């Protein structure tokens, strides 16, 4: 089927898929035509799936990536706050990655305006929207006018992807999740930047996860993604801090929706795991710096720390729950959360030190329990998940618990199987300490647009 665009060029989905499959560069018009056609429902899922796989395999250069981002960005509304203090953060996603719920209240407590338009779970990684919905009645589907109002009244607002903001990404994201086309630098760049640019922020802190639990497994790939994202930000006159951070093991100790939100509240109370607390302070410090509320990144970090000490970050989190229709009592009494009370300990078969943890497999085991989706229409079980007791470098004695599974009674056979999976496939426990422990933050780059 040949179709025409408004410059009267002949395009068909078939020829454009073939062109990319054979390693040729696509023009701006061709990319725009494909994205517009898919968003409007004129190009079916199976042709888009094939197009995505061709991009995944043959890659796109900087000009194609820019055209893809533009097409996805202008598939919907583009907000413009014209306000230097509107700053967001985005993570490329990882296991146990829950930083948004901590750093956003911290930054908002200092005076940054944080408009979060977040996603649901993708692949083995959990989603921000799924996690916060473990607080009953928390409404992530606010109207655009409520979104803007809350941003200015409260400084913090969190909604899911809407049909109005980057609708192309909403459709493409869901298809990538089930067609093994997630780990592509141009596709990730288009997906993230179309949403972030449409949000109308003046600056973005980008947390690029690197390691076994991340989409980018190596520093080389993470650096290439950082460059692609910052190039796109600069083209749109947005300031961006890119941080490449470790995801060779889950962040913090909790994996699973309710368990992760409880860990976030503990962190806001100053009792959080060291790695999670430090990363949140660095990211929030970057947001405060980009907003012009601190002269340097280090001063931003100091201001961030102060909000944990004086309780203002925790108050902002309470406010976030309240303004979205939830009950702030969750913060004081964790029995409000739906957490599976049946616990099975994963006892180590081995003696030694933890050398590696396969984060992707932990994420997939959480999906197996129902904590994530196998199909787009699946419901999330907020109650299930894991508490990790041993991280890389820790000493483990045979017979000691390396993690605890929270599950339902009828899931006991699944939990019993997981004991073997954790021992044989997820944890590598060997004699002697590992030569090198993972660093939490590998590199930070500040990219000013002018
Ligand atoms: N986060 C996104 O928003 N999109 C991706 O493609 C990957 C992570």
């Amino acid at each position: 089927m040949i179709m025409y665009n408004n410059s009267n060029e002949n395009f068909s989905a078939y020829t454009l898929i073939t062109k990319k499959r054979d390693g040729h560069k696509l023009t701006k018009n061709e990319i725009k035509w494909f994205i517009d056609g898919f968003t409007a429902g004129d190009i079916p899922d199976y042709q888009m799936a094939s197009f995505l796989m061709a991009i995944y395999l043959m890659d796109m250069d900087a000009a194609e990536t820019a055209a893809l981002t533009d097409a996805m960005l202008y598939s919907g509304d583009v907000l413009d706050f014209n306000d230097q203090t509107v700053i967001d953060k985005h993570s490329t996603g990882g296991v146990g990655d829950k930083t948004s719920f901590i750093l956003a209240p911290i930054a908002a407590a200092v005076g940054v305006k944080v408009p979060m338009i977040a996603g649901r779970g993708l692949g083995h990684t959990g989603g921000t929207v799924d996690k916060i919905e473990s607080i009953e009645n928390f409404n992530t589907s606010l109207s655009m006018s409520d979104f803007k109002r809350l941003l200015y009244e409260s400084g913090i607002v969190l909604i899911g992807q809407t049909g109005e903001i980057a609708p192309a990404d909403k459709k493409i994201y869901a298809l990538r999740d089930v067609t093994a086309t997630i780990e592509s630098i141009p596709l990730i760049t288009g997906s993230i930047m179309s949403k972030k640019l449409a949000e109308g922020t003046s600056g973005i802190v980008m947390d690029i996860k690197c390691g076994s639990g991340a989409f980018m497994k190596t520093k080389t790939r993470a650096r290439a993604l950082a460059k692609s994202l910052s190039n796109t930000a600069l083209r749109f006159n947005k300031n961006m801090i890119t941080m490449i951070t470790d995801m060779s093991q889950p962040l913090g100790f909790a994996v699973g929706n309710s368990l992760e939100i409880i860990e976030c509240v503990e962190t806001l109370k100053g009792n959080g795991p060291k790695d999670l607390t430090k990363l949140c302070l660095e990211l929030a410090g970057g947001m405060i710096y980009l907003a012009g509320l601190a002269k340097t990144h280090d001063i931003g970090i100091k201001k961030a720390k102060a909000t944990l000490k004086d309780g203002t970050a925790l108050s902002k989190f309470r406010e976030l729950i309240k303004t979205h229709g939830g009950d702030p009592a969750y913060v004081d009494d964790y029995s409000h959360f739906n957490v599976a009370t049946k616990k099975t300990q994963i006892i180590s078969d081995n003696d030694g030190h933890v050398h590696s943890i396969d984060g992707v497999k932990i994420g997939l085991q959480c999906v197996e329990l129902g904590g994530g989706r196998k199909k787009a229409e699946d419901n999330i079980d907020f109650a299930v998940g894991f508490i990790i007791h041993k991280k890389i470098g820790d000493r483990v004695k045979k017979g000691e618990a390396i993690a605890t599974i929270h599950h339902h009674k009828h899931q006991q056979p699944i939990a019993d199987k997981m004991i073997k999976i954790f021992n044989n496939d997820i944890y590598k426990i060997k004699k002697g300490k590992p030569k090198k422990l993972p660093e939490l933050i590998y590199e930070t780059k500040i990219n000013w647009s002018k």
Side-chain angles (χ1 to χ4, degrees):
M1 176 181 43
I2 304 283
M3 294 186 195
Y4 297 89
N5 77 349
N6 53 15
S7 58
N8 278 339
E9 291 171 282
N10 285 343
F11 296 143
S12 80
Y14 181 86
T15 52
L16 297 189
I17 294 166
T18 311
K19 192 171 175 187
K20 189 46 37 196
R21 183 201 66 189
D22 294 346
H24 300 293
K25 289 190 197 325
L26 297 172
T27 66
K28 193 171 177 176
N29 281 347
E30 287 169 337
I31 293 168
K32 182 170 166 34
W33 178 86
F34 213 110
I35 299 299
D36 287 353
F38 178 65
T39 311
D42 297 334
I43 293 176
D45 278 7
Y46 55 84
Q47 284 186 309
M48 188 54 159
S50 180
F51 189 58
L52 292 170
M53 186 56 85
I55 296 171
Y56 178 93
L57 294 172
M58 303 313 291
D59 212 355
M60 280 180 149
D61 68 9
E64 290 175 294
T65 305
L68 177 70
T69 307
D70 286 4
M72 291 172 72
L73 167 64
Y74 294 111
S75 66
D77 293 348
V78 178
L79 308 178
D80 187 359
F81 290 109
N82 250 334
D83 179 341
Q84 296 300 310
T85 62
V86 180
I87 306 288
D88 197 8
K89 160 267 167 192
H90 193 83
S91 157
T92 55
V95 178
D97 183 3
K98 49 192 86 79
T99 58
S100 293
F101 310 109
I102 304 160
L103 61 88
I106 291 177
V110 176
V112 182
K113 296 189 175 59
V114 192
M116 287 181 284
I117 300 184
R120 294 197 179 268
L122 186 63
H124 64 280
T125 68
T128 301
V129 168
D130 293 328
K131 289 176 193 179
I132 199 68
E133 284 177 356
S134 58
I135 295 176
E136 214 183 346
N137 298 326
F138 192 107
N139 182 5
T140 56
S141 313
L142 301 177
S143 67
M144 264 303 132
S145 64
D146 281 343
F147 177 79
K148 288 179 195 165
R149 180 181 54 77
L150 276 182
L151 181 65
Y152 278 94
E153 279 176 16
S154 179
I156 180 170
V157 54
L158 197 176
I159 59 168
Q161 281 163 268
T162 72
E164 293 153 74
I165 297 280
D169 180 57
K170 195 173 182 185
K171 279 188 87 177
I172 296 172
Y173 198 91
L175 202 53
R176 284 170 58 213
D177 195 20
V178 290
T179 55
T181 51
I182 295 171
E183 298 94 333
S184 148
I185 288 176
L187 294 179
I188 295 179
T189 303
S191 166
I192 292 179
M193 293 310 292
S194 61
K195 287 183 293 243
K196 296 292 118 179
L197 294 168
E199 265 179 21
T201 54
S202 69
I204 304 152
V205 175
M206 194 60 70
D207 182 7
I208 296 150
K209 298 284 180 206
C210 173
S212 66
F215 296 133
M216 299 292 110
K217 305 284 181 217
T218 63
K219 276 187 217 150
T220 310
R221 291 278 294 161
R223 275 191 201 112
L225 179 58
K227 195 154 178 33
S228 177
L229 292 165
S230 58
N231 280 347
T232 312
L234 296 183
R235 216 165 46 78
F236 281 87
N237 294 323
K238 307 286 178 189
N239 304 317
M240 178 177 277
I241 296 183
T242 50
M243 287 172 63
I244 299 180
T245 72
D246 183 60
M247 193 29 80
S248 60
Q249 56 186 338
L251 190 59
F253 299 116
V255 178
N257 300 284
S258 291
L259 292 171
E260 290 192 37
I261 297 293
I262 293 171
E263 188 169 73
C264 291
V265 177
E266 277 299 297
T267 306
L268 286 166
K269 289 177 181 172
N271 311 320
K274 272 198 191 127
D275 58 348
L276 179 62
T277 306
K278 179 166 168 46
L279 182 58
C280 289
L281 290 172
E282 293 268 346
L283 292 166
M287 294 169 78
I288 295 163
Y289 176 44
L290 283 189
L293 300 173
K295 282 219 172 83
T296 63
H297 190 183
D298 280 347
I299 295 175
I301 295 169
K302 276 199 188 119
K303 288 194 170 190
K305 266 188 198 158
T307 69
L308 292 186
K309 271 220 168 113
D310 65 16
T312 49
L314 185 65
S315 302
K316 269 287 159 203
F317 189 66
R318 275 184 223 276
E319 193 177 321
L320 173 75
I321 298 174
K322 192 152 184 243
T323 54
H324 288 64
D327 181 356
Y330 274 69
V331 166
D332 307 300
D333 180 358
Y334 300 148
S335 70
H336 288 289
F337 282 96
N338 183 7
V339 175
T341 46
K342 186 90 188 104
K343 294 183 199 172
T344 297
Q345 287 200 326
I346 297 173
I347 300 298
S348 175
D349 290 343
N350 300 299
D351 208 69
H353 284 84
V354 179
H355 280 243
S356 67
I357 302 175
D358 189 325
V360 172
K361 287 191 181 146
I362 294 188
L364 292 175
Q365 292 309 308
C366 190
V367 173
E368 202 52 44
L369 287 172
R373 289 182 191 81
K374 288 186 183 164
K375 299 187 288 328
E377 60 276 17
D378 286 348
N379 285 324
I380 291 280
D381 186 344
F382 300 114
V384 297
F386 304 99
I387 298 292
I388 307 290
H389 305 307
K390 297 288 179 181
K391 306 249 291 202
I392 296 175
D394 285 350
R395 170 91 177 94
V396 180
K397 288 189 194 136
K398 192 172 172 178
E400 221 183 332
I402 49 181
T404 299
I405 314 170
H406 284 255
H407 61 91
H408 302 291
K409 216 168 160 192
H410 69 272
Q411 292 177 316
Q412 192 62 56
I414 304 179
D416 291 341
K417 257 194 214 154
M418 282 182 187
I419 297 176
K420 273 206 184 81
I421 297 172
F422 268 71
N423 268 292
N424 298 342
D425 299 338
I426 294 180
Y427 271 75
K428 290 282 165 274
I429 295 171
K430 297 195 234 168
K431 295 266 175 267
K433 285 189 180 171
K435 278 199 189 91
K436 236 180 136 192
L437 292 180
E439 289 164 46
L440 182 63
I441 299 166
Y442 294 113
E443 53 192 56
T444 300
K445 264 199 174 155
I446 301 170
N447 309 277
W448 291 106
S449 66
K450 39 188 158 356

